[in-house]
Amino acid sequence: METTVISKATKRTGPVLFADYKRGDGIKKALQMGRDNVLLEVRESKLKGRGGAGFPTATKWMLTAAATCPEKFLVCNADEGEPGTFKDRVLLLEYPELVFDGMVIGGYTIGAKQGIVYLRGEYEYMLKSLEDYLEQMRKDNLLGKNILGVEGFDYDITIRLGAGAYICGEETALIESLEGHRGESRNRPPYPVNTGYNGRPTSVNNVETLASIPHIMMRGGEWFATMGTDKSTGSKLFSISGDCGKPGVYELRWGATIRDILKLVDAQDTKAVQVGGASGVCLPESQFDRQLSYEDTSTGGSIMIFNKNRNMLSILKNFMEFFVEESCGQCTPCRIGNVKLLEGVEMIEKNEFTFEYIRNLKELGKTMQIASKCGLGQSSPNSFISILENFKDEIFNTNRNGGSK
Amino acid sequence: MSTEKDTRAPKAQQSHTIKKPETEGTIGGTISIEINEKKLTVPLGTTILDACKQNQIHVPTLCHHDDLCIAGVCRVCVVEVEGMRTLQASCAFPITAPIKVKTSTPEVRKARRHIIDLMLSEHYGECYSCIRNGNCELQSLAKEYGVDGYTFGHVDKPTYEIDNSSYSVIRDMSKCILCKRCVRTCIDLQEVGVLEAIDRGDKTHISTFLDKPLADVICINCGQCINRCPTAALRANDPSDEIWNAIDDPKKHVVIQTAPSPRAAIGEEFGLEAGNSMTYQLNTALKRIGFDAVFDTNFTADLTIMEEGTELLIRLKKALVDKDASVKLPQFTSCSPGWVKYLEHFYPEYIDNLSSAKSPQQMFGALIKTYYAEKIGVDPADVVSVAVMPCSAKKFECNRPEMTDSGFKDVDFGLTTREAAKMIKEAGIYLPEMPKTHFDSPFGDASGAGLIFGATGGVMEAAIRTVVELVLGVKVEDLFEQGNIIPVRGFEGIKYVELPLGDKVGPVPDILKSLVPNWDWLKGATLKVAVVHGTANAKKVMDDIKAGGKFSECHFIEFMACPGGCLGGGGQPIPTTLEIRQKRAKAIYDEDMSLDVRKSHENKHVLKIYEEFLKDGPCGHLSHKLLHTHYTKRGKYMA
């Protein structure tokens, strides 16, 4: 296979991830500090999971570290599958030193000997270069036995390819997939920090979360926590796409408003912004002053911009078609619920609906949010509920005559 | 801290199968919780569902089954746990903290109703045209939650073609609600692994390897999946219409044999508690609906003991006296057709260990169309032979091409307990009200040894009762109280028993004189036997034998494909639980105690048949022709 040559064509800039960093420095620092101090530093940074769920990283690591089992794993979730998200791709292609150093530090902290990158199947093209990078790390004793001379710290990283299922970005389904099983989420509790890969304590962290770690090592948790808002510290990569002049991956401090973003990427005549991908919420102009943060509109980084020419119903239909196909099919609310929501959208499209039935479907959506087995089904109705609520005038009135039959 | 179980269950389900704490101290004491504002103390690790059950709080379930590992997929059992954003599946939530649970909030009720409505929207068919009408868990739930319409629509066409390729199990996936009980039954409970969910999203469905018809995959026909299916997505291949046709045809002489397990369970189909034996009422009912004669399968179970026991003694003599290295030991029982097919697929290299003796059903089939037909002067071509069995695999067994030693199809139809009940109801008969009558001659009533074939350990117990008396020349009651061989009884998955024969042997009985001169070679020997039920346990034992472990030293092993033995068979009334199976077992053992003849070799009808018909004795020439068979090395790869 042809190797993709990775080059930083344009120099990116940002406060944390896109700042300067020299490979291995974070690992050296962490090894000097010792496990407990690494944990304290990460706790001080208040770093939260960047995949979207926002679980405090220090807590996850402490729980994994505290589990009494000789074998533990650190898994890097690189199954970047949320529609409209492409920031992990940038990190892996352009900043592999951050991701892999973060994985070494994490493995050291929780006591794992093995790190696993679960790489999205569609990213197979970068596999060779990532493998080469790991090989170089082994040569430089940043992986392998007695890393950087620390007696007994043996750690290596392997890369495993996914097969293209969206559900496998959910951490327990990812673990199932790693074990060679059908990608289906597990019941929780027990959580992966106790019973994860092969039944062993496992910390599953997003690419971006891990990439933040080396900088936190180098510059301290306190420094990290000065950025952003009270509950959302540090910076975030946003994958911005849609109707704008300058789409791309941007690193911003938490707390920016939607309006800030639209300005930054030169978006005109914006009607709606989908925050958090297909599983996120769709905001109308009246809510553009809302903040991007865990406490307001939480997101794994996907921002999709739609201008006044877009048809909100067809956007919703697209999202629902996605979920109908990508539900793992395991639990009833998600497997059949998404089909019913999609059918509802099609009914509106054909103008063959009753408002009572649409209300029923919204209630069904709320049930799906609380009764589905995992995050997929719990978040799949978000678009349906928010688009029908925030754009009801367009959907039910414009070019339509009320639509009840 | 290895906690892995040796199982092929999907990890998602297996890694947190929550063991029921037997005592409060089992996994770390107790914990105080609140359910519906009632303060309770439960052992740590108890699921919310079990905590509710123990405290008489009803929570609806569908994918949950006490015999199976946890799935947590249907979501019908969701409850509210204070402080948690989402509702929790009570079946899958182990209590490890002092939680507060509410089982009937407006959100919970609405969610359950939504979930039931969603399942109904994709569940094809109408209740009145369904085999499970009146015994369907989805139907019960719909009733419980007051469903009076299809909120989210209802499919008006079947979504999948019915797979009726198998002699035993019919799959109608249009009725499937994806609870995955069948998957967990097949993979985890039985460790066969024929069924699994394939595709995803709205295309998810339960399927076989490469979506092949069930007849073309390594299904062993045990039917355990049928017993655990909450709807009629899985059902047995029902021959009752053909049997009615035969009954209604005046030219046909239609006979039926009844196995002990259906008799111990068929009352359940008529609303009785499990554990009510209906043996003699069933005789009357079957005669009244038009069968010309009713026979007791226990008769050929007794015959099986004579043939299989003799075969064992011959194998032992060849191995111990003649030092014949080609003799295969341990000898495996062959009366469970599910087990036989399991072995043929998974351990084909061991088929020579299977006893060549046919199962009681097939022995009877061969005798009915030869000995019996001749005796009553009917052309065997006009005899239709039916067997009421607790089993779906018996349907496959009677269709095996080698089962035609009478010159005809030895057994025409295998009928499950459920189907027999259906026929009786159709004839307007309420079984429990029937007067009791005996079995028909010439076979008559059989011994208790044949009867206990229905429970796991029964074949072994019957064999021990006979072998001990024939070889040692003593009464089995002198060695075991009341002749009950307690060590081989019970529902433990694998039982291993050693029986030292001692230094005193008896004279060789007349019936075996042509085979062995004396028993001296068994002096001081220890007979090692094992009893195994459920193919997951069989797998463990077979792997141990392969590895040269202690079971490879056994002389005789009883294998039954179904958990609990025949009484837990795939043709038995639904539902099935450990408690129900225990009650059926008790009914069988109680009936054994009530009989005068409790040993196969004391069954005078059996002795008579050796005098009149099988004149060269057990394992003799005619026996070999009619009562013994051979097997097929199938392997796992099927064309």
Side-chain angles (χ1 to χ4, degrees):
Chain A
M1 201 188 90
E2 198 184 328
T3 311
T4 311
V5 180
I6 298 155
S7 65
K8 296 180 190 179
T10 50
K11 174 76 179 151
R12 297 177 191 272
T13 55
V16 182
L17 296 161
F18 294 163
D20 287 336
Y21 174 76
K22 186 164 159 285
R23 190 184 67 174
D25 282 359
I27 301 177
K28 277 177 211 152
K29 187 74 184 292
L31 294 179
Q32 282 163 18
M33 286 159 66
R35 291 191 171 87
D36 293 348
N37 288 324
V38 172
L39 275 175
L40 289 175
E41 210 64 60
V42 177
R43 193 170 71 177
E44 184 143 4
S45 76
K46 298 191 205 162
L47 174 66
K48 289 181 180 176
R50 297 305 197 221
F55 191 79
T57 306
T59 310
K60 193 179 268 187
W61 283 8
M62 278 178 196
L63 290 169
T64 321
T68 51
C69 180
E71 194 183 22
K72 298 177 191 179
F73 296 95
L74 182 119
V75 174
C76 170
N77 184 347
D79 190 55
E80 186 169 45
E82 186 64 47
T85 313
F86 38 92
K87 45 125 187 148
D88 293 345
R89 181 175 68 190
V90 167
L91 285 172
L92 289 163
L93 281 173
E94 300 177 19
Y95 302 87
E97 67 275 15
L98 287 178
V99 181
F100 292 141
D101 283 11
M103 285 185 74
V104 175
I105 297 165
Y108 169 69
T109 311
I110 64 171
K113 293 211 173 334
Q114 181 71 53
I116 304 167
V117 179
Y118 187 89
L119 187 66
R120 180 176 192 202
E122 289 86 340
Y123 289 172
E124 190 186 357
Y125 67 90
M126 58 173 92
L127 184 62
K128 176 75 173 70
S129 64
L130 293 174
E131 299 273 19
D132 290 348
Y133 196 89
L134 290 173
E135 197 49 44
Q136 192 56 49
M137 283 178 77
R138 285 182 198 110
K139 281 182 187 149
D140 298 344
N141 195 217
L142 294 170
L143 288 175
K145 294 211 176 297
N146 303 323
I147 292 171
L148 295 179
V150 175
E151 195 67 34
F153 178 40
D154 304 341
Y155 186 78
D156 210 334
I157 294 173
T158 53
I159 302 174
R160 303 270 294 271
L161 271 181
Y166 173 71
I167 182 63
C168 291
E170 197 279 337
E171 63 175 359
T172 59
L174 184 155
I175 291 170
E176 283 286 304
S177 168
L178 272 183
E179 290 178 0
H181 297 109
R182 185 180 158 82
E184 288 184 340
S185 59
R186 295 177 174 178
N187 290 306
R188 275 171 295 196
Y191 297 93
V193 291
N194 290 314
T195 309
Y197 178 58
N198 285 343
R200 306 303 194 202
T202 303
S203 175
V204 182
N205 299 103
N206 180 262
V207 170
E208 188 184 345
T209 314
L210 291 165
S212 304
I213 296 289
H215 284 292
I216 293 172
M217 292 299 106
M218 296 311 292
R219 300 166 76 176
E222 200 183 334
W223 159 80
F224 190 85
T226 57
M227 287 176 284
T229 71
D230 189 34
K231 285 180 179 159
S232 313
T233 59
S235 69
K236 178 82 189 87
L237 297 189
F238 293 97
S239 315
I240 304 173
S241 62
D243 299 319
C244 65
K246 296 185 282 183
V249 176
Y250 292 81
E251 181 178 9
L252 300 172
R253 289 174 177 80
W254 280 112
T257 63
I258 309 270
R259 220 175 281 285
D260 295 338
I261 297 252
L262 294 175
K263 203 172 159 196
L264 180 72
V265 298
D266 199 10
Q268 310 288 332
D269 293 332
T270 305
K271 175 163 74 179
V273 176
Q274 177 83 13
V275 183
S279 65
V281 292
C282 196
L283 302 179
E285 194 174 355
S286 60
Q287 298 187 32
F288 285 176
D289 288 319
R290 286 179 66 176
Q291 221 180 34
L292 295 164
S293 63
Y294 292 111
E295 50 269 47
D296 190 354
T297 51
S298 179
T299 170
S302 165
I303 307 274
M304 286 185 247
I305 301 167
F306 303 110
N307 72 18
K308 304 247 184 303
N309 299 321
R310 303 288 167 183
N311 178 335
M312 294 316 290
L313 197 61
S314 59
I315 290 167
L316 176 57
K317 188 178 175 188
N318 183 290
F319 288 153
M320 293 322 301
E321 282 170 344
F322 175 78
F323 287 121
V324 165
E325 186 176 328
E326 291 294 345
S327 162
C328 79
Q330 181 180 197
C331 78
T332 317
C334 180
R335 181 184 67 248
I336 314 179
N338 282 311
V339 173
K340 296 299 157 192
L341 299 190
L342 174 61
E343 283 173 8
V345 173
E346 287 165 346
M347 285 175 185
I348 299 172
E349 208 175 48
K350 291 188 214 142
N351 213 4
E352 290 173 356
F353 66 97
T354 63
F355 282 107
E356 192 198 343
Y357 189 65
I358 300 302
R359 268 195 299 278
N360 274 347
L361 288 181
K362 279 197 203 167
E363 288 301 308
L364 173 64
K366 288 180 196 160
T367 287
M368 290 164 67
Q369 287 176 326
I370 55 172
S372 296
K373 187 168 176 179
C374 78
L376 198 167
Q378 288 162 12
S379 59
S380 63
N382 291 349
S383 297
F384 184 89
I385 293 172
S386 66
I387 290 179
L388 289 192
E389 186 57 39
N390 294 334
F391 300 92
K392 55 176 173 258
D393 290 348
E394 175 190 328
I395 286 170
F396 294 112
N397 296 334
T398 318
N399 302 325
R400 287 174 199 282
N401 45 15
S404 51
K405 249 188 198 173
Chain B
M1 49 162 272
S2 172
T3 52
E4 298 99 311
K5 217 176 93 189
D6 177 28
T7 152
R8 293 168 50 195
K11 278 271 167 57
Q13 296 158 11
Q14 168 213 128
S15 57
H16 32 81
T17 302
I18 297 151
K19 287 215 173 67
K20 280 208 182 101
E22 299 298 334
T23 63
E24 292 193 350
T26 318
I27 47 173
T30 60
I31 193 156
S32 296
I33 57 163
E34 259 180 42
I35 301 182
N36 299 343
E37 288 171 0
K38 189 177 160 197
K39 285 194 173 25
L40 304 166
T41 304
V42 296
L44 208 61
T46 310
T47 61
I48 294 176
L49 180 66
D50 284 337
C52 288
K53 274 188 194 166
Q54 287 157 20
N55 292 282
Q56 289 76 48
I57 298 163
H58 174 68
V59 174
T61 54
L62 194 60
C63 70
H64 179 80
H65 193 288
D66 279 339
D67 289 336
L68 304 174
C69 58
I70 287 164
V73 295
C74 78
R75 314 304 287 176
V76 155
C77 71
V78 288
V79 294
E80 185 187 295
V81 176
E82 197 179 276
M84 299 194 85
R85 186 179 59 83
T86 56
L87 303 178
Q88 302 298 314
S90 58
C91 69
F93 193 103
I95 300 169
T96 55
I99 51 171
K100 291 180 181 169
V101 177
K102 288 203 171 79
T103 64
S104 180
T105 67
E107 276 77 26
V108 166
R109 287 194 303 270
K110 192 178 77 182
R112 287 180 189 160
R113 178 65 200 263
H114 274 144
I115 289 161
I116 295 164
D117 283 336
L118 287 178
M119 285 191 285
L120 289 173
S121 79
E122 296 212 326
H123 175 76
Y124 171 70
E126 298 294 345
C127 291
Y128 49 75
S129 60
C130 181
I131 185 91
R132 291 288 294 272
N133 189 5
N135 186 15
C136 165
E137 292 179 48
L138 183 61
Q139 189 185 44
S140 308
L141 268 182
K143 191 178 173 202
E144 193 177 322
Y145 278 81
V147 172
D148 54 5
Y150 296 120
T151 311
F152 299 115
H154 186 58
V155 277
D156 55 2
K157 289 194 284 289
T159 16
Y160 299 95
E161 222 176 287
I162 293 176
D163 174 8
N164 52 13
S165 62
S166 161
Y167 286 118
S168 300
V169 182
I170 292 182
R171 299 173 65 238
D172 182 359
M173 289 300 104
S174 303
K175 289 182 174 171
C176 174
I177 50 164
L178 285 163
C179 68
K180 292 197 186 174
R181 281 190 191 171
C182 57
V183 173
R184 286 174 283 151
T185 300
C186 201
I187 297 184
D188 190 43
L189 186 74
Q190 291 291 69
E191 295 205 33
V192 174
V194 161
L195 301 172
E196 178 53 298
I198 68 164
D199 287 342
R200 66 171 189 240
D202 61 329
K203 296 189 178 60
T204 311
H205 62 288
I206 306 300
S207 191
T208 56
F209 178 64
L210 296 179
D211 244 336
K212 288 183 179 191
L214 206 53
D216 295 341
V217 295
I218 55 170
C219 173
I220 64 165
N221 304 312
C222 69
Q224 290 299 308
C225 53
I226 300 174
N227 286 3
R228 287 169 185 81
C229 179
T231 70
L234 293 159
R235 61 177 199 264
N237 200 340
D238 181 358
S240 54
D241 284 346
E242 288 163 272
I243 297 171
W244 281 123
N245 288 343
I247 288 175
D248 295 341
D249 183 344
K251 279 201 304 243
K252 297 290 180 194
H253 183 81
V254 191
V255 303
I256 189 163
Q257 51 171 309
T258 72
S261 287
R263 285 145 31 180
I266 196 167
E268 295 162 40
E269 290 284 332
F270 292 87
L272 301 187
E273 267 282 288
N276 277 294
S277 188
M278 291 281 118
T279 306
Y280 302 104
Q281 291 91 332
L282 187 60
N283 289 346
T284 314
L286 292 172
K287 291 296 277 290
R288 285 199 188 175
I289 70 175
F291 286 98
D292 295 300
V294 184
F295 301 134
D296 187 351
T297 306
N298 300 351
F299 168 78
T300 35
D302 284 334
L303 200 58
T304 298
I305 287 300
M306 298 306 291
E307 293 292 329
E308 198 166 339
T310 304
E311 183 187 355
L312 176 65
L313 290 167
I314 293 171
R315 286 196 198 213
L316 288 174
K317 177 174 169 286
K318 277 186 185 164
L320 300 174
V321 181
D322 310 338
K323 308 286 178 202
D324 180 350
S326 69
V327 170
K328 299 289 187 221
L329 285 170
Q331 177 175 307
F332 300 155
T333 60
S334 60
C335 32
S336 164
W339 149 248
V340 168
K341 193 153 183 272
Y342 178 81
L343 189 85
E344 289 176 331
H345 281 306
F346 288 82
Y347 300 93
E349 66 273 31
Y350 284 93
I351 64 167
D352 291 336
N353 292 63
L354 277 173
S355 163
S356 64
K358 285 180 184 172
S359 69
Q361 165 180 292
Q362 292 306 131
M363 284 196 184
F364 227 139
L367 288 180
I368 283 169
K369 294 200 180 176
T370 53
Y371 173 74
Y372 172 74
E374 193 189 317
K375 213 171 171 90
I376 61 162
V378 173
D379 180 354
D382 287 331
V383 174
V384 175
S385 178
V386 183
V388 181
M389 290 287 147
C391 186
S392 49
K394 288 282 173 196
K395 294 171 187 285
F396 174 85
E397 186 186 34
C398 74
N399 281 293
R400 280 178 176 253
E402 60 269 28
M403 295 298 178
T404 52
D405 291 323
S406 63
F408 302 88
K409 195 178 166 193
D410 292 340
V411 172
D412 293 285
F413 303 108
L415 196 66
T416 65
T417 312
R418 298 186 295 267
E419 291 151 1
K422 194 191 84 174
M423 290 183 75
I424 292 168
K425 285 179 192 169
E426 213 175 333
I429 292 171
Y430 180 63
L431 180 67
E433 285 176 345
M434 285 293 104
K436 297 179 175 184
T437 48
H438 278 271
F439 291 97
D440 288 312
S441 39
F443 305 110
D445 294 349
S447 83
L451 177 76
I452 57 173
F453 265 52
T456 169
V459 178
M460 188 56 70
E461 178 161 353
I464 291 172
R465 286 180 190 172
T466 289
V467 168
V468 160
E469 296 206 350
L470 296 188
V471 172
L472 301 184
V474 295
K475 284 277 156 201
V476 71
E477 288 82 355
D478 298 340
L479 301 175
F480 296 92
E481 196 177 333
Q482 294 182 301
N484 294 336
I485 322 288
I486 300 298
V488 299
R489 293 189 184 181
F491 281 178
E492 200 186 320
I494 301 168
K495 292 171 291 247
Y496 172 84
V497 178
E498 293 189 0
L499 296 166
L501 294 179
D503 288 329
K504 284 186 194 142
V505 291
V508 176
D510 291 345
I511 200 166
L512 298 175
K513 267 192 177 136
S514 62
L515 298 167
V516 284
N518 58 57
W519 297 126
D520 291 348
W521 50 280
L522 279 173
K523 277 183 184 171
T526 296
L527 198 60
K528 295 175 184 173
V529 300
V531 174
V532 186
H533 61 119
T535 42
N537 292 316
K539 178 174 185 277
K540 290 193 189 103
V541 169
M542 288 309 299
D543 288 343
D544 178 85
I545 290 173
K546 255 182 141 167
K550 84 170 173 186
F551 291 101
S552 65
E553 308 271 307
C554 278
H555 302 108
F556 190 38
I557 304 183
E558 175 198 310
F559 286 98
M560 293 289 157
C562 295
C566 302
L567 55 85
Q572 291 283 64
I574 299 169
T576 182
T577 61
L578 180 62
E579 194 192 342
I580 290 172
R581 295 191 291 274
Q582 281 167 336
K583 285 180 178 170
R584 291 174 188 162
K586 186 173 181 303
I588 286 175
Y589 285 118
D590 285 351
E591 195 173 326
D592 168 42
M593 285 297 284
S594 75
L595 295 175
D596 297 333
V597 179
R598 295 181 58 223
K599 296 158 204 165
S600 300
H601 60 284
E602 288 179 355
N603 180 337
K604 58 180 191 298
H605 303 284
V606 166
L607 298 176
K608 196 169 133 204
I609 209 163
Y610 281 116
E611 277 163 30
E612 285 184 3
F613 187 61
L614 306 166
K615 288 177 186 158
D616 38 5
C619 293
H621 179 70
L622 191 55
S623 279
H624 258 289
K625 181 177 179 303
L626 292 177
L627 307 184
H628 289 253
T629 186
H630 58 274
Y631 308 98
T632 310
K633 287 187 180 181
R634 292 176 200 271
K636 285 188 213 169
Y637 302 96
M638 296 178 68

